[in-house]
Amino acid sequence: MADWITGASGFLGQHLVKYFPVAMTTRPDLRQRGEVFEVVRRIKPQRVVHLAYPGSRGIATSVEEPLSLAADLLRIDTNVIEICAQEGVGKLLCLGSVCGYPEHTLQPTRESELWDGYPEPVNAAYGCAKRMQWVLLQAARQQYGLNGIHLILANLYGPGDRSGHVIPSLIRKIRTAQREGGPVVVWGHPDVTRSFLYVEDAAEGIWRAMERYNSPEPLNLCSTEEVTMVDLVTHLTGLLEYTGPVTFDTSKPTGHRRRRFSTDRLATALEWLPTTPLAVGLAAMVDWALTETV
C-alpha cells in the first residue's frame, strides 16, 4: 500500500520521497475538498505526510499577503486532516512551524511554550494558522481516533532550495552583487539569530517520527545550532568569495529577535538528533547554488 506525501514535488518533498513508498499522482489543489477526497479515495494511503505550503517567498509572503497565506493554509489543513480522519488513514504527519511560537519565549524554546503568548507580529497570521493545524489534529484524534502528529519545523536550507527562505535568498543577493556590483542589502538587524535545519536531516527526522512517534503533543524538529545573521552573511560571503559591501536595512521586518529550540523531547522520542553542522550544510548549499543561473 502506497503512502501519500502532499507537496512531494517541493524542496523538502524531493528529499523525503526516498524514505516512503509514495504513490505518484497529479498535483491536486488541496484548497478544494473534492480534489483531496478524490486522491485519498484513489490511493487509499495508510500513511500521509502533509508538507504542502501555498507560499513561496519567505517572509515577504507574510508581509504582503498575510490573509491569503493564512486562509489557504487553513483550507488546506482542514481538508487534508478531516478527509484523512473520515477515510480511515492510519497515520497523518503534519508540519508546523517555529513561527507559531510566541514572540517572547525562554531559550532554548520548548514545545510546552507554544501557547504562552501571541506570535511575532510579522508572521502572526501564518504562525496562528500553523497552531490551528495542531488543534485540528487534536480534534480529529478525539472524534475519529486519527493518529495525527505535529512536528514543529525550523528554517530549512540545503541543495535544491529555490524558495524565498533566508539562506537561498542571501546566496542570490550575494551572487547578484558579484555580477552587478554591490552592496548586498540584508533585511533586519545583524544581531538577530536563527536556527537552521539541513533538509536531509529534516527528511530523516520526518521518517523516524512516522515510524515511532505517536504522541498528540507537538515535537520540535530543529537543530541545536544558533547563528547571528551577521555571522551567517559573513560565512556565505566567504564561501562565495564576495568582498564587496554588505549593509543591514533595519527598517525591514526582522521577525523573532532570537531563535534557539530545545531538542530534548526529539532526542528522547526518536533516539536521534540532526547531524549536519551548519558549516557543512552551507558549503553543500553553495556548491549546488553555483550550478544554478542567478
Side-chain angles (χ1 to χ4, degrees):
M1 183 177 292
D3 298 325
W4 181 33
I5 299 177
T6 73
S9 62
F11 168 50
L12 176 55
Q14 292 178 13
H15 291 266
L16 188 61
V17 291
K18 65 184 179 183
Y19 289 97
F20 293 91
V22 179
M24 301 304 295
T25 70
T26 57
R27 296 174 59 181
D29 183 350
L30 301 179
R31 296 169 299 181
Q32 304 299 320
R33 178 181 174 84
E35 295 195 29
V36 178
F37 182 78
E38 193 277 332
V39 170
V40 173
R41 272 291 177 94
R42 175 159 48 87
I43 297 175
K44 296 181 173 58
Q46 180 59 28
R47 304 183 302 181
V48 174
V49 182
H50 180 34
L51 310 179
Y53 167 73
S56 61
R57 296 183 295 118
I59 194 171
T61 307
S62 288
V63 171
E64 298 169 11
E65 304 171 32
L67 174 60
S68 298
L69 176 61
D72 281 347
L73 281 168
L74 291 170
R75 291 186 189 99
I76 289 169
D77 288 346
T78 298
N79 288 338
V80 170
I81 293 169
E82 187 174 37
I83 291 172
C84 283
Q86 292 173 346
E87 293 300 307
V89 169
K91 189 169 185 178
L92 170 62
L93 183 154
C94 291
L95 288 187
S97 169
V98 294
C99 291
Y101 276 118
E103 182 175 10
H104 303 290
T105 63
L106 298 175
Q107 303 293 328
T109 304
R110 299 180 181 278
E111 293 90 343
S112 58
E113 296 181 67
L114 185 61
W115 296 93
D116 288 352
Y118 196 68
E120 188 279 323
V122 172
N123 289 302
Y126 170 67
C128 287
K130 283 298 189 179
R131 286 186 185 183
M132 192 63 196
Q133 181 190 84
W134 179 78
V135 172
L136 291 170
L137 283 172
Q138 294 284 71
R141 186 181 286 263
Q142 178 182 346
Q143 184 173 345
Y144 291 95
L146 175 68
N147 183 8
I149 62 174
H150 180 79
L151 305 187
I152 301 177
L153 192 66
N155 298 63
L156 289 183
Y157 76 103
D161 191 355
R162 299 179 177 88
S163 73
H165 294 156
V166 174
I167 291 176
S169 294
L170 286 173
I171 291 173
R172 285 193 294 270
K173 285 183 177 183
I174 294 168
R175 295 188 67 200
T176 299
Q178 284 177 314
R179 187 182 69 250
E180 300 178 359
V184 172
V185 180
V186 183
W187 280 21
H189 291 262
D191 60 348
V192 165
T193 72
R194 290 292 180 264
S195 178
F196 295 98
L197 182 65
Y198 191 59
V199 66
E200 289 286 358
D201 287 336
E204 182 174 352
I206 289 168
W207 171 73
R208 288 176 179 269
M210 184 62 94
E211 292 292 313
R212 61 187 301 165
Y213 189 69
N214 298 295
S215 171
E217 296 304 314
L219 186 69
N220 282 343
L221 181 53
C222 302
S223 166
T224 57
E225 286 191 82
E226 180 182 16
V227 62
T228 65
M229 287 302 297
V230 67
D231 286 344
L232 175 64
V233 172
T234 299
H235 196 99
L236 288 173
T237 55
L239 288 171
L240 289 161
E241 300 181 348
Y242 173 75
T243 57
V246 175
T247 63
F248 284 81
D249 185 350
T250 57
S251 70
K252 295 296 187 181
T254 291
H256 285 81
R257 294 303 297 249
R258 187 180 177 195
R259 279 182 172 168
R260 181 171 173 238
F261 305 99
S262 171
T263 55
D264 291 348
R265 184 181 288 178
L266 180 70
T268 300
L270 304 188
E271 297 183 349
W272 170 88
L273 286 174
T275 59
T276 307
L278 182 62
V280 173
L282 289 177
M285 176 76 178
V286 167
D287 285 346
W288 168 80
L290 290 174
T291 68
E292 294 282 296
T293 302
V294 176

